[in-house]
Structure formats: structure tokens, C-alpha cells
């Protein structure tokens, strides 16, 4: 199938001025300073993320507006207004400061399910001047220990059942002083620990938010661990300027929107765009406690009348895999925009989205390190399926060669950014040298490879470590994977370079099939022929191996390094963020 080179969008439905001329004007006029004036600073140097996200709205009509509409796995609901979140997070801040002696800069970690207490706790910690560290609730004990030991967290908020999972590693965390347990109808608990409901019941509702400096540390997120050991990227309170501006101009969040971000708070998307971006814009968020389920997701989108939806390529591919009949039983009239981040979004998925929802997915690119969206397909621009879009106003991106000199349009190279935006990470926790090594010749080197076209759109090629060198050609795995999943039998594909004595490397593809297809020699040849026809013979996979599912990180990214290690019989390295079968 030939993809349209460009998808024209019906621009009337967008809130921001709908044409490219205006977009470029906006790029020129935009400066971090101008947007940041819209936020409620304490003074020109001091700002607090939780204050901006929640308490700043109390002076407005949004005071009684719903900030969080939560649905549990069992289908029960809870709702919190901005005022509710303010009050509860004040209480939590009092618990931390008055009861537990938490000081500015202390690390407070969260190992919790996606329950309202994680939102309240994170906001309360920020108000208290603490540094939050959210951990994905599906982590095993080693993953939790590594991150908590590295960060020397002083307080842990968890639940009785999750605590049971990590009991064995708690003695290995000497810096950990207090554990607060959130019990939601759970049974046995350790009497040594504090109970969230009990400490909160006694805490005062008024709290003087700590007047943090814009450069004070606020957030620690460990990277996904797709390419190696997860690193703790540290962000500051001033980052909220970036969360706010990108949520406003990329996600196009408006007063009446109902916004759903499917990312878990354990990953940066779940905080930057599952808390701070939308709430600093005063928008109502819906949260579903459970994980992925095609049936439930479609129904949730419809029932909650979601208008803006931010999700990820794996989820989209899983929806595609579940077939087109299911979504046809639902209506998605409320949807204004859909967005995707975390991995390359195959053109196939963009086109599928248009067919099912009548809207195209807007892909955007950023990293834990960048803290906020850097390159995006904006609502006001036509989409080129397969492209990540253009840099955010105020962000200067470039493609540089291996000596870190800028390359012209059309050339493939290292994706780099000029440092200096507000949500940029300030260090890797206790790995300052590694942090410094990411800056070359005035650029922040992202570790991804890409190219830019004449119109300034960026095209993802692959992670630097994943790019394949075969017979003198550089082949990006994304291109090959995208063609593979166009084949009717293919659900997902991961492509690696396999060492070869003649070609240096050859392209090898791991493929999982859609329901209703079984591996066979015939199918293998058919897929090979299919790819060969669309790509150069160098890029067509020499080998195809069928596997039931691809190894992924908990945040849903295909772990090519694991496919490669298995292929070569090498040690698997850090697998703490890997999904279990
Ligand atoms: P680690 O750094 O530990 O290996 P990670 O890079 O997967 O893990 P994240 O910060 O969660 O950790 O992910 C950022 C990376 O995800 C980007 O550098 C890029 O490789 C990939 N990515 C994110 N969004 C996109 C996108 N829209 N298109 C292509 N790749 C993307
Ligand atoms: Mg990375």
C-alpha cells in the first residue's frame, strides 16, 4: 500500500490559529519568557510545580472544576476538584514535613498502583520541596532496590501488597527512614509502617508551599532502560514552564477538554503529561487504574467523552492487533486530537488511526532527559506519516555528523538539540561524568539518529546503537520494521544487525504474527519478498525469525539489545525494566 505523503487536516477544529504561516510566526515570537509569564511565579526566580499545577487555579473559576476523574480496575469512580487536590496535597506535605522531618531536596519515592494517592502524594512532596521519584508498580524487588539505593530515598509510599513484593530488599536501603502504606481495602499490614489514611486524618489542611527556586531539584525519573542500565535524570521546578507550554501548544489543551494520558506515572510521560502539563493548563484529566485492554480502552474513550488522547505506539499496535470490529461498536465523536510518543510510530498506525477514529495520530519525540516534548506534529500542521514533526518553538534541533558538525537537510546523522530549555535534565543522579559526556560542540547529543527534510520535518532512523551497518550501508531498524508491519500477517517486528563475516552485519528480523496466522516457510518467503520489493535489497532482512511476542520494556518499547544479545548468546545485561511474559 502506498501511503499518502501528507495527511491534510481539517483545520477548523483547532483552537490555535490554523495555518502554517501563523505557526512560523509563533516560532519567531515564542520565547520561554513570554509563556512563562502566564504562570504563577512567587517572584522572578522562584516557582513550585505543585503550586502552578494546582493551587494557582484556586484564585479562578477552576477552583471547583474537576481536576482528576479516576476509575478503578473494578469500575468504581472517584473525582477530585482542584481544590480537593490542593487540600489533600497540603495534608500530605504536612505529614512529610511535620511528622517525618522531610527537608528540601530529600527524595521521596512512590511505588504505587495508579491510584489517586500517587497524585496527591507527588503534589504534596513537591509542595514540601522534596524530590519525587515514581517507580512503576510492576517492577520487581531488584529494580526497586537499584533505584532507591542509587537515589538514597528517605521515604517510600507504597501499598501493603507491593511492599510484600519488595520486603526482602528493604534491609539493603539504609537511607530509607519511613514507609507509608496506602491501603485500599487490603488486609494484612506491617505494624511498623505508617498508614496513609491515619497520618492524613491528623494532618492540617493548610500548608505554606515551599518557595522553591526554579533550579531546585524536583523530579527524578529513571530512563526506560531500553539501551542499558536506567539512569536517574533529574529535573527542576522551572521545568513546569516546558510542561505547560508544550501541553498548551502541542496537545492543544483547552478549558473544556477531557484529557486522557495512558502513560503510567512511573515514566516521565505520566508525570510531565499525566500531571503537570495538563493541570498547569487547568484541564480535567481522566485516569484509568488498569493496564491495557482494547475493549476497556475503547469503552473508556467513549464513556468519558475524551477529547484529547495521548498514548504510545505499542498500545496503538495492540489496538490494531485486536481488529477493527471492536472500535466499530463505539463512537468517538468527542475526540479532537490523538498523540503518540515513546517509540517510532509506524506510518501504518497513523493511517489506521485515521480510518478508525477519523483523526490521525500526531507523533512526537522527546526523552526522559528532555523532560518535555521537543519535536512534534502540531495540530496546526499537516502530518507526514512516519515523521516525528518539527521542533517546538524555541527549541533548536539539528542533525550532526560524528564530529558534531551540523549536516544539511536530507542527510542522516545524530539528532542533537541546543541545550537550555526549562525542562531539560540537570544531571544524571550521581553520574555527572556521563551527563557531561552527552554534550558536544555546543549540542546535547540525544543518542538517536534521524534526518530532516527540506520542510524541517524530522524522520527517526533508529537509536545510534541500533543502526545496522550492512555491506557499507547504514540501515535504520525503524524503516524495515515499518515495512514489515505493513504485511497483513505481521503484528510487530524488531530488527537487528547480526554480525556477518562478509557484510559486517546483515539485517535480521524478529516477527510476531497477528491472530489467525501461523509461522511457515511459505509465509517467511512471502514476508521477505514483500519487504524486498519495498526496500533496497540491503535493507531487506536476510533472516526472519517468528516469535510469539517481542521483548519489551515495561513502558512498551521493543528491546532490540535483548534480541541481539539472545541472538549472539551474550549476557542480557540490565533487564529490570523488562516486561514479564
Ligand atoms: P534508556 O535511555 O535507558 O536506554 P530510553 O531511551 O528508552 O531508555 P526514554 O527516555 O523513556 O528511555 O525514551 C526516549 C527514547 O525513546 C528516545 O531517545 C527515542 O529513542 C525513543 N522515542 C521516543 N519518542 C519517539 C518517537 N516519537 N519516535 C521515535 N523514537 C522515539
Ligand atoms: Mg535514552
Amino acid at each position: 500500500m502506498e501511503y499518502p505523503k501528507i495527511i491534510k487536516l481539517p483545520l477548523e477544529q483547532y483552537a490555535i490559529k490554523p495555518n502554517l504561516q501563523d505557526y512560523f510566526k509563533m516560532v519567531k515570537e515564542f520565547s520561554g519568557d513570554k509563556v512563562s509569564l502566564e504562570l504563577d511565579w512567587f517572584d522572578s526566580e522562584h516557582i513550585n510545580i505543585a503550586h502552578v499545577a494546582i493551587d494557582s487555579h484556586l484564585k479562578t473559576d477552576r477552583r471547583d472544576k474537576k481536576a482528576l476523574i479516576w476509575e478503578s480496575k473494578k469500575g468504581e469512580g472517584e473525582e477530585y476538584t482542584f481544590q480537593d487536590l490542593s487540600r489533600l496535597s497540603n495534608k500530605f506535605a504536612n505529614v512529610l514535613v511535620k511528622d517525618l522531618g522531610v527537608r528540601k531536596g530529600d527524595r521521596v519515592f512512590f511505588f504505587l498502583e495508579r491510584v489517586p494517592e500517587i497524585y496527591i502524594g507527588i503534589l504534596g512532596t513537591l509542595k514540601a520541596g522534596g524530590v519525587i521519584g515514581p517507580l512503576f508498580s510492576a517492577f520487581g524487588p531488584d529494580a526497586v532496590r537499584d533505584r532507591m539505593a542509587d537515589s538514597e530515598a528517605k521515604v517510600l509510599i507504597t501499598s501493603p501488597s507491593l511492599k510484600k513484593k519488595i520486603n526482602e530488599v528493604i534491609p539493603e536501603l539504609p537511607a530509607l527512614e519511613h514507609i507509608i502504606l496506602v491501603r485500599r481495602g487490603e488486609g494484612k499490614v506491617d505494624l511498623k509502617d505508617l498508614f496513609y489514611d491515619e497520618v492524613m486524618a491528623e494532618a492540617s489542611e493548610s500548608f505554606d508551599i515551599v518557595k522553591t527556586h526554579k533550579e531546585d531539584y524536583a523530579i527524578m525519573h529513571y530512563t526506560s532502560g531500553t539501551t542499558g542500565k536506567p539512569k536517574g535524570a533529574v529535573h527542576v521546578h522551572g521545568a513546569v514552564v516546558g510542561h505547560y507550554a508544550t501541553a498548551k501548544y502541542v496537545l492543544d489543551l483547552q478549558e473544556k477538554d477531557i484529557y486522557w494520558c495512558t502513560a503510567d506515572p512511573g515514566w516521565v510521560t505520566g508525570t510531565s503529561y499525566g500531571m503537570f502539563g495538563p493541570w498547569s493548563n487547568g484541564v480535567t484529566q481522566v485516569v484509568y487504574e488498569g493496564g491495557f485492554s482494547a475493549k476497556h480502552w475503547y469503552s473508556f474513550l467513549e464513556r468519558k467523552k475524551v477529547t484529547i488522547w495521548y498514548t504510545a505506539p505499542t498500545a496503538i499496535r495492540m489496538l490494531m492487533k485486536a481488529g477493527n470490529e471492536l472500535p466499530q461498536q463505539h463512537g468517538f465523536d468527542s475526540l479532537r486530537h490523538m498523540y503518540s510518543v515513546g517509540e517510532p510510530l509506524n506510518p501504518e498506525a497513523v493511517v489506521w488511526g485515521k480510518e478508525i477514529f477519523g483523526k490521525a495520530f500526531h507523533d512526537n519525540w522527546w526523552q526522559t532527559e528532555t523532560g518535555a516534548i521537543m519535536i512534534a506534529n502540531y495540530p496546526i500542521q499537516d502530518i507526514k506519516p512516519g515523521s516525528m514533526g518539527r521542533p517546538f518553538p524555541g527549541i533548536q534541533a539539528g542533525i550532526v555528523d560524528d564530529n558534531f558538525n551540523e549536516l544539511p537537510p536530507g542527510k542522516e546523522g545524530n539528532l542533537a538539540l541546543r541545550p537550555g530549555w526549562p525542562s531539560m535534565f540537570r544531571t544524571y543522579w550521581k553520574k555527572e561524568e556521563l551527563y557531561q559526556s552527552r554534550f558536544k560542540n555546543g549540542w546535547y547529543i540525544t543518542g538517536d539518529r534521524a534526518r530532516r527534510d527540506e520542510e524541517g520535518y524530522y524522520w527517526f532512523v533508529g537509536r545510534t546503537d541500533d543502526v545496522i551497518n550492512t555491506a557499507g550501508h547504514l540501515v535504520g531498524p525503524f524503516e524495515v520494521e515499518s515495512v514489515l508491519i505493513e504485511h497483513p500477517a505481521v503484528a510487530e517486528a524488531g530488527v537487528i544487525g547480526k554480525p556477518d563475516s562478509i557484510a559486517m552485519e546483515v539485517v535480521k528480523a524478529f516477527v510476531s504474527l497477528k491472530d489467525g496466522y501461523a509461522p511457515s516457510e511459505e509465509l517467511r518467503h512471502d514476508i521477505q519478498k514483500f519487504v524486498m520489493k519495498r526496500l533496497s535489497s540491503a535493507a531487506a532482512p536476510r533472516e526472519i525469525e517468528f516469535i510469539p511476542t517481542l521483548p519489551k520494556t515495561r513502558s512498551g518499547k521493543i528491546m532490540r539489545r535483548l534480541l541481539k544479545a539472545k541472538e549472539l548468546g551474550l549476557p542480557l545485561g540490565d533487564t529490570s525494566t523488562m516486561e514479564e511474559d
Side-chain angles (χ1 to χ4, degrees):
M1 175 182 158
E2 266 292 293
Y3 288 115
K5 290 272 176 310
I6 199 148
I7 296 182
K8 296 270 178 201
L9 300 173
L11 293 166
E12 316 77 63
Q13 61 187 300
Y14 300 122
I16 331 174
K17 280 286 176 327
N19 69 54
L20 271 185
Q21 226 68 24
D22 286 328
Y23 167 73
F24 287 112
K25 214 166 112 215
M26 186 173 104
V27 173
K28 271 206 200 124
E29 281 176 2
F30 177 92
S31 77
D33 294 347
K34 191 176 152 199
V35 171
S36 81
L37 283 181
E38 294 169 16
L39 300 178
D40 195 6
W41 290 70
F42 298 120
D43 58 44
S44 63
E45 293 284 304
H46 293 82
I47 191 165
N48 183 294
I49 297 179
H51 172 76
V52 169
I54 304 296
D55 289 53
S56 69
H57 303 298
L58 300 190
K59 291 178 256 173
T60 71
D61 295 348
R62 297 192 197 104
R63 186 184 173 86
D64 298 313
K65 180 177 174 174
K66 284 168 199 158
L68 175 64
I69 299 176
W70 178 80
E71 187 174 292
S72 77
K73 285 181 204 159
K74 292 187 195 138
E76 296 145 352
E78 286 175 25
E79 295 184 348
Y80 299 83
T81 62
F82 280 96
Q83 198 184 351
D84 293 335
L85 288 184
S86 162
R87 213 169 33 81
L88 292 164
S89 55
N90 277 350
K91 274 172 164 284
F92 193 80
N94 276 318
V95 169
L96 292 181
V97 173
K98 302 218 169 98
D99 301 350
L100 310 184
V102 166
R103 301 265 165 76
K104 198 156 102 178
D106 283 347
R107 272 79 61 213
V108 176
F109 270 51
F110 293 82
F111 182 50
L112 259 190
E113 312 274 2
R114 213 173 311 173
V115 290
E117 290 80 358
I118 193 168
Y119 298 87
I120 294 163
I122 282 178
L123 293 166
T125 304
L126 292 169
K127 284 184 170 183
V131 177
I132 60 148
L135 301 171
F136 188 38
S137 59
F139 276 161
D142 291 356
V144 172
R145 183 212 34 227
D146 287 354
R147 288 160 182 77
M148 294 212 20
D150 183 59
S151 63
E152 296 170 315
K154 183 169 171 175
V155 182
L156 174 67
I157 293 87
T158 185
S159 68
S161 58
L162 288 173
K163 191 190 163 209
K164 213 155 106 202
K165 199 159 77 163
I166 57 163
N167 259 335
E168 61 186 272
V169 301
I170 288 174
E172 296 169 55
L173 302 171
L176 181 64
E177 292 177 16
H178 305 284
I179 297 178
I180 302 179
L181 292 176
V182 176
R183 43 182 178 185
R184 279 189 164 254
E186 282 179 278
K188 284 203 201 105
V189 280
D190 194 333
L191 289 176
K192 282 201 313 282
D193 298 321
L194 302 163
F195 298 115
Y196 177 89
D197 46 337
E198 289 177 10
V199 289
M200 285 289 273
E202 281 165 27
S204 154
E205 279 183 9
S206 66
F207 181 78
D208 267 340
I209 298 179
V210 175
K211 306 234 172 344
T212 37
H213 188 267
K214 61 182 178 181
E215 286 300 314
D216 280 340
Y217 290 171
I219 306 163
M220 271 182 79
H221 270 294
Y222 284 83
T223 56
S224 294
T226 313
T227 52
K229 232 187 170 20
K231 313 162 274 279
V234 183
H235 296 278
V236 295
H237 277 275
V240 71
V241 175
H243 305 149
Y244 168 78
T246 47
K248 180 169 169 160
Y249 290 109
V250 180
L251 303 182
D252 187 28
L253 292 180
Q254 304 293 320
E255 194 66 64
K256 291 209 175 88
D257 279 318
I258 303 289
Y259 168 73
W260 184 29
C261 169
T262 62
D264 191 90
W267 310 110
V268 70
T269 310
T271 56
S272 292
Y273 298 104
M275 297 184 200
F276 314 134
W279 282 335
S280 58
N281 279 278
V283 162
T284 302
Q285 290 205 74
V286 289
V287 170
Y288 172 55
E289 182 190 15
F292 177 84
S293 140
K295 205 163 152 231
H296 196 91
W297 278 31
Y298 285 129
S299 132
F300 194 75
L301 278 169
E302 183 179 30
R303 277 186 293 113
K304 299 294 176 194
K305 300 191 169 53
V306 172
T307 61
I308 310 274
W309 181 31
Y310 198 9
T311 189
T314 324
I316 298 167
R317 288 194 298 262
M318 288 201 280
L319 290 174
M320 289 167 75
K321 194 174 173 184
N324 289 358
E325 267 166 37
L326 201 52
Q328 271 146 20
Q329 299 160 16
H330 297 274
F332 307 109
D333 297 343
S334 307
L335 265 181
R336 288 203 304 124
H337 311 303
M338 314 190 297
Y339 298 88
S340 165
V341 74
E343 272 199 305
L345 182 66
N346 317 85
E348 172 91 8
V350 178
V351 173
W352 175 84
K354 192 91 186 6
E355 189 187 318
I356 298 299
F357 300 100
K359 304 267 160 19
F361 280 104
H362 291 72
D363 184 21
N364 49 86
W365 177 96
W366 57 292
Q367 305 178 303
T368 308
E369 290 87 342
T370 70
I373 296 167
M374 294 284 111
I375 296 178
N377 286 286
Y378 297 85
I380 48 167
Q381 291 176 52
D382 297 328
I383 290 177
K384 295 190 185 183
S387 163
M388 325 190 274
R390 297 182 201 191
F392 189 71
I395 299 296
Q396 195 192 336
I399 301 294
V400 300
D401 63 17
D402 290 342
N403 295 317
F404 313 109
N405 295 312
E406 203 169 353
L407 291 168
K411 291 268 187 251
E412 190 183 306
N414 302 295
L415 176 62
L417 303 163
R418 289 280 186 211
W421 61 94
S423 64
M424 163 98 182
F425 70 141
R426 296 300 194 268
T427 191
Y428 284 125
W429 188 258
K430 294 202 291 197
K431 292 190 177 66
E432 180 64 18
E433 219 171 291
L434 177 67
Y435 171 73
Q436 293 297 344
S437 74
R438 302 291 295 269
F439 298 88
K440 305 274 188 215
N441 199 19
W443 293 99
Y444 162 66
I445 309 298
T446 65
D448 287 340
R449 286 180 73 82
R451 90 193 126 71
R452 175 183 51 209
D453 68 20
E454 293 285 351
E455 288 178 285
Y457 282 77
Y458 282 74
W459 299 77
F460 184 79
V461 172
R463 292 163 183 269
T464 310
D465 300 346
D466 290 340
V467 171
I468 302 158
N469 192 340
T470 179
H473 302 277
L474 289 182
V475 175
F478 174 51
E479 189 187 13
V480 187
E481 289 162 9
S482 286
V483 173
L484 280 164
I485 73 161
E486 283 175 38
H487 188 281
V490 176
E492 283 197 302
V495 165
I496 62 161
K498 181 177 173 177
D500 181 82
S501 56
I502 297 163
M504 191 152 134
E505 285 184 308
V506 293
V507 177
K508 167 153 189 180
F510 294 84
V511 161
S512 81
L513 296 174
K514 284 193 187 143
D515 296 343
Y517 290 90
S520 71
E521 250 342 275
E522 205 186 329
L523 182 58
R524 189 194 315 274
H525 286 307
D526 194 62
I527 297 174
Q528 245 159 351
K529 252 193 2 229
F530 180 86
V531 184
M532 195 95 80
K533 253 207 270 173
R534 283 162 177 78
L535 292 175
S536 68
S537 56
R542 184 83 63 85
E543 278 180 41
I544 294 180
E545 184 174 330
F546 295 112
I547 51 176
T549 51
L550 291 160
K552 296 204 197 82
T553 64
R554 299 266 181 201
S555 50
K557 294 159 189 260
I558 297 171
M559 291 175 99
R560 294 175 194 79
R561 75 174 158 95
L562 233 69
L563 289 171
K564 193 156 181 170
K566 278 196 178 138
E567 180 69 33
L568 304 181
L570 294 172
L572 299 184
D574 186 283
T575 53
S576 64
T577 62
M578 194 180 148
E579 214 176 46
E580 275 153 26
D581 288 336

